[in-house]
Amino acid sequence: MSRKRTVVLISGRGSNMTALIAAASDPAFPAEIVGVISDKADAAGLGIAKARGIATQVITRADHGSKQAHDAAIDAALKAFNAEIVALAGYMRILTSGFVQKWQGRMINIHPALLPAFKGLDTHARALAAGLRIHGCTVHFVTSEMDDGPIIAQAAVPVMVGDNADTLAARVLKAEHRLYPLALGLVAEGKARMEGGRTVLAHFADDADNGTSVVMAPDPLREEADLEHLARITP
């Protein structure tokens, strides 16, 4: 199997980057993390990547005369890494349309909300303010409009009574760490691809199980017996 060469772009702690690196440490995973690029020299994720033997590069905005020049430097670094997929993991800078178009269909991002709801920042506080009972995260292909690309995969979590933005963020982050490797794997295997502005999902064996999946919050069925099962076994 030819593993897809993937470069991760970060700006901070790199927790989703770390989840991708962990997944890719399995030789059977269809992508390998060959490099990490940060726009901030003090990003904590750089140290994590280095400790795992992954090449890192810092490309700051301050060192370039324009956004276009900055993105051109990132593009050159990606080419030097022979990147096939770009994964944004807490990369906090808006990319230029030219750069996005060049990598379209090969660049993915994770967003801490169930898109198309709550694009942008402060998603958890906004979800709480809206009174949501279910929140979550989304992996999508990157397009020129922020947080607007075709959705690849989503994960939902309950909003608990008494949650604040921090407790909800922590619950969503755990889901992100499971979702992002799943989505990267689908893209690397060609099971999720962008065509005509939409995500095309090829059939995969576990999809049938999705038909029985239900997320409820609150969940009134949690402690109730399976009545259909009881009917089958009761004389």
Side-chain angles (χ1 to χ4, degrees):
M1 178 185 70
S2 177
R3 304 173 75 198
K4 294 291 186 182
R5 296 176 62 84
T6 302
V7 175
V8 184
L9 269 58
I10 65 170
S11 293
R13 62 188 174 181
S15 72
N16 273 305
M17 171 209 73
T18 304
L20 295 180
I21 291 172
S25 67
D26 181 350
F29 190 73
E32 60 175 328
I33 310 303
V34 297
V36 172
I37 296 173
S38 175
D39 65 325
K40 296 185 180 298
D42 60 352
L46 291 170
I48 295 170
K50 288 176 183 175
R52 286 157 174 76
I54 294 172
T56 64
Q57 193 165 346
V58 176
I59 304 175
T60 67
R61 173 68 177 85
D63 289 335
H64 298 85
S66 66
K67 288 181 65 174
Q68 287 76 14
H70 185 219
D71 282 3
I74 294 172
D75 183 57
L78 292 172
K79 289 176 180 174
F81 279 122
N82 292 317
E84 296 171 279
I85 298 173
V86 180
L88 308 184
Y91 186 72
M92 298 304 292
R93 195 166 284 280
I94 301 295
L95 296 162
T96 57
S97 60
F99 179 89
V100 169
Q101 288 168 12
K102 185 175 289 188
W103 287 94
Q104 194 155 284
R106 298 179 292 157
M107 183 160 56
I108 61 177
N109 179 53
I110 189 160
H111 181 72
L114 291 172
L115 292 174
F118 306 119
K119 298 176 182 180
L121 302 175
D122 302 320
T123 58
H124 309 303
R126 290 159 61 199
L128 289 170
L132 263 62
R133 305 306 309 149
I134 292 173
H135 187 40
C137 51
T138 303
V139 180
H140 63 97
F141 287 108
V142 177
T143 56
S144 293
E145 188 173 339
M146 184 183 67
D147 300 331
D148 194 57
I151 291 168
I152 299 165
Q154 294 182 303
V157 302
V159 180
M160 309 295 285
V161 175
D163 262 340
N164 58 38
D166 290 337
T167 58
L168 184 54
R171 190 174 309 114
V172 171
L173 191 63
K174 288 183 180 179
E176 292 178 42
H177 293 165
R178 294 176 59 191
L179 185 71
Y180 212 178
L182 166 71
L184 174 59
L186 291 176
V187 173
E189 286 185 292
K191 292 182 177 178
R193 62 186 188 276
M194 184 174 169
E195 286 185 7
R198 299 183 66 85
T199 296
V200 176
L201 286 172
H203 176 75
F204 50 101
D206 295 335
D207 194 45
D209 295 335
N210 290 335
T212 60
S213 298
V214 178
V215 177
M216 298 180 67
D219 185 357
L221 304 179
R222 185 168 44 223
E223 296 180 1
E224 290 187 11
D226 183 336
L227 297 181
E228 185 178 342
H229 175 67
L230 284 176
R232 287 197 299 270
I233 65 174
T234 302

